């Protein structure tokens, strides 16, 4: 277990995150909202980008791919069902496939709903999951291409992961999500505590 992560802000409210394997030096960006903040994060950490793991095709998750690939020659892994809509894909993956980063390995989980081909990357041995725009802090992604039932099944799949799994999501929406949740459950003590 040699995984290290680095979280930073991109665009208006996107999260960027780097995953680094200390053993091999391999480093992946999970999605690429824009190139410059990813490059800044890489130089802050002294890491070299070897991979981009894409969760879904939206432009605010793929807009930095072309520039990063040109600069670093990194390998782009993306959901098979959306590969046509994502630039410069090297490898496509689907449910159950194993994705490697140096000595780290992830299982691909299909989590459709926000988009029809959305995937998450679950690094079981390192208790990490990168869930893109499926699950957020106090909320979930907008159901754009799928159905609510499809999204719910995806959320149940994420809920079934071990309780100590650290989940990295694609956006920071916590305060807005709390405001909405409190209109539904104003007396929920957990929600009140989280809001504070
Ligand atoms: Zn999205």
């Amino acid at each position: 277990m040699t995984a290290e992560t680095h979280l930073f802000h991109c665009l208006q409210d996107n999260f960027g995150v780097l995953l680094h394997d200390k053993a091999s030096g391999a480093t992946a960006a999970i999605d690429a909202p824009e190139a410059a903040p990813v490059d800044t994060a890489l130089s802050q950490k002294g890491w070299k980008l070897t991979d981009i793991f894409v969760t879904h095709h939206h432009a605010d998750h793929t807009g930095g791919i072309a520039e990063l690939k040109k600069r670093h020659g990194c390998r782009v892994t993306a959901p098979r069902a959306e590969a046509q809509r994502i630039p410069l894909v090297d490898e496509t993956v689907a449910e159950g496939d194993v994705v490697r980063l140096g000595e780290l390995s992830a299982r691909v989980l299909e989590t459709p709903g926000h988009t029809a081909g959305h995937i998450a990357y679950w690094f079981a041995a390192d208790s990490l999951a990168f869930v893109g725009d499926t699950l957020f802090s106090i909320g979930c992604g907008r159901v754009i291409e799928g159905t609510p039932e499809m999204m719910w099944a995806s959320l149940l799949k994420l809920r079934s992961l071990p309780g100590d799994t650290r989940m990295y999501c694609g956006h920071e929406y916590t305060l807005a999500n709390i405001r909405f949740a409190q209109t539904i459950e104003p007396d929920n003590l957990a929600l009140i505590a989280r809001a504070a």
Side-chain angles (χ1 to χ4, degrees):
M1 270 169 279
T2 65
E4 194 180 324
T5 55
H6 179 61
L7 189 70
F8 50 95
H9 290 285
C10 289
L11 299 173
Q12 287 228 306
D13 53 30
N14 279 73
F15 280 124
V17 59
L18 296 176
L19 173 66
H20 179 69
D21 173 38
K22 282 183 251 180
S24 65
T27 302
I30 314 302
D31 291 329
E34 54 178 339
V38 175
D39 275 325
T40 302
L42 287 166
S43 52
Q44 276 171 353
K45 300 299 290 184
W47 295 344
K48 184 183 164 4
L49 191 68
T50 55
D51 291 86
I52 299 174
F53 296 154
V54 182
T55 62
H56 66 296
H57 69 82
H58 285 161
D60 62 333
H61 293 255
T62 58
I65 290 175
E67 204 177 324
L68 289 168
K69 190 167 173 68
K70 191 174 169 193
R71 193 169 308 143
H72 302 280
C74 50
R75 183 175 175 76
V76 178
T77 301
R80 188 162 303 149
E82 300 187 354
Q84 304 300 328
R85 304 171 77 174
I86 297 169
L88 304 171
V89 174
D90 295 298
E91 186 179 359
T92 66
V93 291
E95 178 77 28
D97 285 348
V98 172
V99 172
R100 294 187 193 285
L101 179 73
E103 295 183 4
L104 310 180
S105 71
R107 172 94 54 88
V108 172
L109 306 173
E110 289 180 350
T111 57
H114 176 67
T115 63
H118 194 295
I119 61 171
Y121 297 87
W122 175 37
F123 291 78
D126 299 278
S127 302
L128 291 170
F130 299 93
V131 302
D133 286 1
T134 299
L135 178 66
F136 300 128
S137 165
I138 322 283
C140 70
R142 202 146 60 91
V143 178
I144 298 174
E145 296 177 6
T147 63
E149 291 72 24
M150 198 183 275
M151 179 57 114
W152 180 236
S154 297
L155 292 172
L156 291 179
K157 192 183 278 189
L158 295 180
R159 193 174 73 176
S160 74
L161 300 184
D164 63 352
T165 307
R166 281 179 294 148
M167 295 194 178
Y168 286 78
C169 55
H171 291 270
E172 173 48 58
Y173 292 151
T174 309
L175 290 174
N177 285 342
I178 286 176
R179 277 195 295 275
F180 172 74
Q182 287 190 315
T183 68
I184 311 292
E185 296 189 13
D187 302 323
N188 184 315
L189 293 176
L191 205 49
I192 290 168
R194 184 67 190 265

